[in-house]
């Protein structure tokens, strides 16, 4: 019984010490680098036409599985969403309209 109390109190003290160590130091470099970015973006008029370049940054390679039943990767789902259109759509009053003819 005494050994259980000893291990319990030792674990509690180690947990408290780790919590204090983790919260003790602050990183001021992150706050300084965040101030370098502008707070507002420039508002310009929209252009008609053109090309939109889209990129996804990921640590894992792109598998290229474009079947929603087989795709288990979020990167594949993000890329697949642009070409995976439905047959039907609804308008603001929830009336079904045909998308593909």
């Amino acid at each position: 019984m005494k050994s259980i109390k000893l291990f319990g109190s030792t674990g509690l003290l180690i947990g408290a010490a780790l919590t204090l160590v983790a919260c003790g130091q602050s990183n001021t470099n992150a706050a300084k680098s965040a101030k370098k970015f502008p707070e507002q973006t420039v508002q310009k008029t929209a252009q008609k036409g053109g090309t939109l370049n889209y990129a996804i940054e990921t640590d894992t390679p792109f598998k290229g599985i474009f079947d929603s039943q087989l795709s288990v990767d979020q990167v594949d789902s993000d890329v697949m969403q642009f070409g995976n259109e439905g047959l039907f759509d609804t308008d603001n009053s929830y009336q079904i309209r045909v998308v593909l003819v």
Side-chain angles (χ1 to χ4, degrees):
M1 187 69 165
K2 289 183 181 182
S3 63
I4 294 174
K5 287 183 181 181
L6 179 66
F7 285 124
S9 61
T10 305
L12 182 65
L13 288 174
I14 290 173
L18 289 175
T19 303
L20 290 174
V21 168
C23 296
Q25 297 178 355
S26 63
N27 188 359
T28 58
N29 292 336
K32 289 179 183 177
S33 64
K35 291 182 181 180
K36 293 179 183 177
F37 294 106
E39 293 183 13
Q40 287 184 337
T41 57
V42 179
Q43 299 292 327
K44 295 182 180 179
T45 57
Q47 295 179 354
K48 291 186 179 183
T51 302
L52 175 66
N53 294 324
Y54 183 78
I56 296 177
E57 183 177 343
T58 180
D59 294 336
T60 60
F62 174 66
K63 294 180 184 73
I65 300 174
F66 288 116
D67 188 7
S68 59
Q69 282 79 24
L70 298 176
S71 177
V72 294
D73 194 4
Q74 184 63 39
V75 177
D76 287 339
S77 298
D78 289 342
V79 173
M80 182 176 47
Q81 72 180 347
F82 297 111
N84 196 8
E85 297 179 6
L87 295 175
F88 301 101
D89 194 14
T90 57
D91 57 6
N92 291 338
S93 60
Y94 298 108
Q95 297 295 321
I96 296 175
R97 59 186 177 99
V98 178
V99 176
L100 297 175
V101 179

